[in-house]
Amino acid sequence: MRPFIYILIVLLELPVLGQADYNQALRRAQYLLNGTIPTDDEFTAHAASDTAYRDAVRQMILDDRFYDAVLRYHQRIFGVGLPDEYLEELLNEDIDGKQDKFASITCWRSSGENARFRCTWTSQLEESQGAGCPSSWETATSVFWYPGISAWVCPSVLNTCGHDLSKCFIQYWDENEAKNSELGTTETFDSRFAVINSLSKQAAGIATAVAVENYPYTKILEPGLTAVDGAIAHFYLQDHHFKIDQLNLNPQVLDLIPEVPLTDTRFKLIKAGGDNYARGGVISSFGWLRRYDKHRTRANELYKRLLCRNFTADLPAVFPQDPGNLREAPGCSDCHSVLDPMADFFLAWGEGAEIYEGQATQVDTFFGTCQGSTVQELAGCIQNLPGFGKCTVQNVWEWFMGRGFYNEEEALRDALANYFQTTDYSFRELVYAIATHPAFIEGTRSDAIVTDPLADPPLGEIPTVTVECNETIDYATHIQPLSSTYCENCHSAGSSRQDLTTEAQWQSLGSVALGMMRSGVMPPNPSSSELVQFADNVQCWLEQ
């Protein structure tokens, strides 16, 4: 028996008392994982049984469209979006001693007698010098961003930019149209927008490639690991236009760039040899460091996005004008005693536009029980924290269920986190486990408002479920009234589900029912303090 099947059986405490709805589960799963809605034939084939549904989910995970779904998920987790002005920070202002000799060409489709797709020097168009040469001199050449069409260019452009124009930075005359174009789908293309879009989601691209290729998910924080797509490869090749050397790229990365097709919109993992103290996978990507442009912000976003925790503190009634050392000041130390030492790991990088020029002196610092001074050491620390696995489970659960865990689902979250670890941190197996969990199949995704949310676990500690039984629990007083309210509408004689109306039936099936109550599978009501007390009563009654 496959390990994941065995663990899921243990998790679910079979037999299952709920009512599976495979049609709705298939619709939700296929939309989330592949971005499509099942056809009538697919409903007939894949919603006929539990086995058919599970096999369908497995195929969805192996489907080529799974990549796009996982990329969208990671963009939500890590953030996305950067202004294109950030590229100007790396622009070479002086090329060969001539400041205006930036090798940028602008493309457009001309009209009139000699209507054709043309590309010429941007500087000549800005100075109203036209195409730069007589039309009879123009030569047709291919373009790297949209194979199959030809652009007409002057000899000087062809000689400088190469046979497919890939050695030059491309602009399009209509910026609004260019911002919405996708590489490889149209003649409309602008390097500025394509490159900044890819750089902004590079962290998501690294994590997506790791997940889809089924590497251990902890590799997203591996020093030396990065990912590039065609637009980033195009950017890295523009060392005569940009200060690529300031990116501190491993030379092996640049050696591997030519192997990446410039029209490829999917991220490919690149592992450069050797250690780099300033690198930590997703948390040292351009998008992460530039979007979160202060050391404290970088640490705070890591704390929130990779560990699912937030800094909170009770501020003093009167906040001092000069609080002094925030790590010690009243009202500040609760957060800054953790945040600031964590931020010190990022000192190898500059802040804001000085991202590649800061490199302040490293200091010995700490986060929890981890000691170090570099991003590399911080990344290794996060990889080994139980909170990292739990946070990943929580994020994927919210992706599928549309809600967080209920307070009584603490044991379920722990079980899924343990399962995630036993599968060598396989993101694909975690997705499979949640997509085939009874809570998803039976539609409790609709309980989107969590009135009793599960608190974040302490970092590095695995929370345990404990119930204080301070009184003797009587079935007639403490179990039967709540069972009548929450259970007997579905679980009574003559219904399609297991009867749970007598004390004997609760003694026989109570442990199974308790497991399903703790996991949120039953009853089909939003969580409340009364339901938590009901589950506690059942647990104490069974144990006494």
Side-chain angles (χ1 to χ4, degrees):
M1 182 179 290
R2 293 181 179 178
F4 63 82
I5 295 178
Y6 172 76
I7 294 174
L8 287 177
I9 290 176
V10 173
L11 286 176
L12 303 181
E13 297 274 347
L14 297 179
V16 176
L17 304 182
Q19 180 66 46
D21 187 346
Y22 292 112
N23 282 316
Q24 292 301 321
L26 183 69
R27 183 192 302 274
R28 295 194 302 271
Q30 188 163 320
Y31 180 76
L32 289 170
L33 297 176
N34 291 166
T36 61
I37 300 298
T39 63
D40 290 343
D41 290 341
E42 288 172 329
F43 275 123
T44 301
H46 303 319
S49 66
D50 182 72
T51 299
Y53 172 75
R54 290 175 179 272
D55 289 343
V57 171
R58 179 66 63 189
Q59 291 305 310
M60 294 174 201
I61 294 173
L62 298 175
D63 192 282
D64 188 60
R65 292 168 292 191
F66 181 60
Y67 175 95
D68 299 314
V70 177
L71 181 63
R72 290 192 295 270
Y73 161 81
H74 281 115
Q75 287 179 269
R76 179 176 61 83
I77 296 301
F78 295 120
V80 69
L82 290 173
D84 60 276
E85 290 83 359
Y86 282 4
L87 281 182
E88 297 178 6
E89 299 166 1
L90 293 169
L91 183 64
N92 271 325
E93 297 179 354
D94 187 341
I95 302 176
D96 297 334
K98 300 178 180 179
Q99 189 169 356
D100 294 330
K101 195 183 174 184
F102 177 66
S104 171
I105 58 176
T106 297
C107 299
W108 77 102
R109 182 163 289 281
S110 63
S111 58
E113 185 177 349
N114 291 318
R116 55 181 54 167
F117 187 65
R118 285 187 162 94
C119 297
T120 193
W121 299 117
T122 300
S123 59
Q124 289 183 325
L125 289 179
E126 291 175 347
E127 296 169 7
S128 302
Q129 295 181 12
C133 68
S135 58
S136 60
W137 291 13
E138 292 179 334
T139 302
T141 187
S142 61
V143 297
F144 74 87
W145 64 88
Y146 191 46
I149 70 165
S150 296
W152 290 84
V153 299
C154 294
S156 62
V157 173
L158 185 63
N159 292 336
T160 303
C161 301
H163 69 282
D164 61 356
L165 307 184
S166 61
K167 295 181 179 179
C168 286
F169 212 62
I170 314 300
Q171 295 189 33
Y172 192 72
W173 73 275
D174 187 337
E175 287 191 2
N176 291 327
E177 183 177 349
K179 287 179 180 179
N180 298 313
S181 65
E182 184 176 348
L183 182 64
T185 63
T186 173
E187 67 181 31
T188 304
F189 174 73
D190 195 303
S191 296
R192 295 168 297 173
F193 308 122
V195 169
I196 203 67
N197 178 55
S198 290
L199 287 173
S200 75
K201 60 185 180 184
Q202 191 175 26
I206 294 172
T208 297
V210 167
V212 170
E213 295 182 28
N214 211 28
Y215 290 113
Y217 195 67
T218 52
K219 285 181 73 70
I220 71 171
L221 292 165
E222 183 173 313
L225 186 70
T226 187
V228 302
D229 64 357
I232 294 179
H234 168 59
F235 171 58
Y236 286 168
L237 292 172
Q238 305 296 313
D239 57 351
H240 50 302
H241 304 323
F242 295 95
K243 305 168 187 175
I244 301 299
D245 59 315
Q246 289 194 5
L247 302 182
N248 298 326
L249 297 173
N250 189 303
Q252 293 183 18
V253 173
L254 297 177
D255 291 340
L256 294 171
I257 288 300
E259 300 178 12
V260 179
L262 299 184
T263 55
D264 196 342
T265 58
R266 295 194 169 184
F267 284 87
K268 302 293 187 293
L269 290 175
I270 293 180
K271 179 65 168 72
D275 293 333
N276 188 325
Y277 69 91
R279 296 288 179 179
V282 296
I283 62 174
S284 58
S285 64
F286 181 91
W288 185 281
L289 292 171
R290 195 63 187 91
R291 182 181 305 110
Y292 312 124
D293 58 357
K294 302 295 182 183
H295 296 323
R296 281 176 177 160
T297 307
R298 292 162 182 166
N300 180 59
E301 293 298 327
L302 185 158
Y303 198 66
K304 177 172 65 177
R305 296 174 183 273
L306 295 183
L307 297 173
C308 296
R309 299 181 62 80
N310 293 291
F311 288 105
T312 57
D314 295 326
L315 296 178
V318 178
F319 196 82
Q321 186 174 7
D322 182 9
N325 187 346
L326 296 179
R327 305 183 190 198
E328 300 175 357
C332 304
S333 60
D334 287 351
C335 294
H336 286 276
S337 62
V338 177
L339 175 63
D340 289 5
M342 191 178 183
D344 285 343
F345 282 100
F346 288 94
L347 290 178
W349 298 100
E351 296 185 325
E354 305 299 321
I355 175 175
Y356 298 110
E357 299 175 6
Q359 301 195 5
T361 302
Q362 296 174 21
V363 299
D364 291 331
T365 187
F366 63 91
F367 174 56
T369 59
C370 301
Q371 303 287 328
S373 60
T374 69
V375 173
Q376 180 184 26
E377 290 168 315
L378 176 62
C381 173
I382 301 300
Q383 284 178 311
N384 295 319
L385 282 178
F388 172 66
K390 278 188 173 63
C391 182
T392 304
V393 167
Q394 187 162 304
N395 287 333
V396 176
W397 177 268
E398 290 180 1
W399 176 27
F400 274 84
M401 299 298 295
R403 62 170 176 85
F405 285 101
Y406 292 137
N407 189 61
E408 64 265 30
E409 292 173 330
E410 188 172 25
L412 172 61
R413 185 180 66 175
D414 291 346
L416 286 170
N418 290 334
Y419 172 61
F420 187 38
Q421 183 176 4
T422 61
T423 60
D424 200 15
Y425 294 99
S426 170
F427 187 87
R428 296 198 317 196
E429 294 302 332
L430 176 61
V431 166
Y432 178 86
I434 294 176
T436 56
H437 189 274
F440 182 79
I441 294 174
E442 296 175 16
T444 58
R445 174 184 169 85
S446 59
D447 302 338
I449 300 177
V450 179
T451 57
D452 188 18
L454 176 60
D456 295 325
L459 290 175
E461 297 181 16
I462 299 176
T464 57
V465 179
T466 58
V467 176
E468 294 186 8
C469 302
N470 298 320
E471 61 177 320
T472 300
I473 301 299
D474 176 69
Y475 174 80
T477 304
H478 300 96
I479 306 295
Q480 197 281 326
L482 293 173
S483 174
S484 176
T485 300
Y486 290 109
C487 302
E488 293 182 13
N489 286 338
C490 300
H491 299 279
S492 58
S495 68
S496 60
R497 304 189 185 187
Q498 175 64 51
D499 190 2
L500 272 178
T501 56
T502 69
E503 183 174 3
Q505 290 166 339
W506 271 100
Q507 289 175 335
S508 174
L509 296 170
S511 60
V512 178
L514 178 62
M516 299 185 71
M517 292 164 68
R518 294 293 192 196
S519 68
V521 173
M522 61 173 280
N525 303 81
S527 180
S528 67
S529 58
E530 187 176 52
L531 284 176
V532 174
Q533 185 61 56
F534 181 23
D536 291 347
N537 290 348
V538 172
Q539 182 171 336
C540 291
W541 180 66
L542 292 171
E543 292 176 353
Q544 67 186 13

